Amino acid sequence: SNGYLHLGHAKAMNLDFGYAKHTEGYCILRYDDTNPTAEKQEYIDSIVDTVRWLGHTPKMVTFSSDYFQELFDFAVELIKRGLAYVCHQTPDEMKKSREDLTPSPYRNRSVEENLKLFDDMKNGVIPEGQCTLRLKMDYAHANPNMRDLVAYRIRFTPHPHVGDKWCIYPTYDYTHCLVDSLENITHSLCTLEFENRRESYFWLLDVL
């Protein structure tokens, strides 16, 4: 929901809805609306209109933002299991450590400290851009998408679907696989640019 649909989307939709019909299943239209700074109601309205104009009928229309509470609860559980931590690295510092295959200096914070900091993030105590919640994966992994991905960031921006209830928002990589599971998705079809994200997709599902 962060833009208008284009020809590439039409091709993907034909595959998605066509495969669902071929297997006697159904297709869900989901807005992965995880970034409030990029979402607009006009995009939301345009997308569903375009899907139907192309002749497709989704079984239901859902929003990732409908699951923000469940996603937050999963993040708390990951922290409790020692699988997520609050990181105060700047974007440039994080980029360099990921390229150099070195751990964040905040990676080994205690569970208690991470829970307190994540609660502060949720309650708007920490300024935007000062920290993130990262998954404790494998900082030296050959696949860059396994190097402690960011799960949550702070955004003091109202969301077109859920309003100003939240000031922390989950990333797409954190959200996509979990909402697939919550919606009982059996076939999550992605284009090739997402191929190297499948490893992190299944990692997160497995640890939860």
Side-chain angles (χ1 to χ4, degrees):
S1 53
N2 59 358
Y4 300 107
L5 297 185
H6 54 67
L7 192 59
H9 290 121
K11 180 180 178 182
M13 278 190 287
N14 189 57
L15 173 62
D16 294 339
F17 284 94
Y19 189 75
K21 183 177 180 180
H22 175 72
T23 57
E24 299 183 349
Y26 59 85
C27 199
I28 292 174
L29 171 59
R30 185 200 307 150
Y31 293 95
D32 280 314
D33 53 344
T34 57
N35 183 1
T37 63
E39 318 295 343
K40 290 184 179 179
Q41 188 61 45
E42 66 182 271
Y43 297 149
I44 294 172
D45 296 338
S46 171
I47 288 170
V48 70
D49 287 345
T50 303
V51 170
R52 288 171 175 153
W53 178 75
L54 287 168
H56 305 303
T57 304
K59 180 175 182 180
M60 63 186 80
V61 178
T62 66
F63 295 79
S64 290
S65 56
D66 289 334
Y67 302 95
F68 276 179
Q69 184 61 54
E70 290 93 331
L71 295 170
F72 174 81
D73 293 341
F74 284 142
V76 171
E77 181 62 28
L78 287 165
I79 293 172
K80 289 178 178 178
R81 295 185 190 183
L83 292 169
Y85 62 97
V86 175
C87 179
H88 278 78
Q89 283 187 307
T90 66
D92 286 341
E93 289 170 343
M94 190 184 300
K95 181 175 183 292
K96 186 175 189 309
S97 68
R98 283 164 57 87
E99 290 173 348
D100 294 344
L101 307 184
T102 56
S104 163
Y106 308 100
R107 197 172 196 266
N108 293 319
R109 278 176 159 153
S110 68
V111 168
E112 293 72 23
E113 185 179 8
N114 283 316
L115 286 172
K116 171 66 167 61
L117 287 168
F118 191 48
D119 196 53
D120 287 345
M121 288 173 63
K122 174 180 176 286
N123 292 328
V125 176
I126 301 175
E128 184 170 333
Q130 192 170 108
C131 63
T132 59
L133 182 75
R134 296 177 67 183
L135 302 176
K136 202 170 188 179
M137 303 166 86
D138 181 353
Y139 64 84
H141 201 282
N143 183 347
N145 288 295
M146 289 294 291
R147 298 176 196 162
D148 290 11
L149 291 180
V150 171
Y152 271 88
R153 66 276 208 223
I154 302 167
R155 293 279 190 277
F156 292 110
T157 304
H159 190 287
H161 188 62
V162 296
D164 58 2
K165 181 180 178 181
W166 297 90
C167 65
I168 55 170
Y169 291 94
T171 59
Y172 172 83
D173 285 319
Y174 174 77
T175 302
H176 180 58
C177 61
L178 296 180
V179 178
D180 275 356
S181 180
L182 290 169
E183 292 187 340
N184 297 312
I185 301 300
T186 57
H187 293 71
S188 180
L189 307 180
C190 298
T191 52
L192 286 175
E193 74 230 49
F194 292 98
E195 188 174 18
N196 65 352
R197 283 181 158 95
R198 301 309 282 184
E199 195 166 2
S200 60
Y201 178 106
F202 288 113
W203 179 92
L204 187 51
L205 292 175
D206 288 344
V207 297
L208 284 169

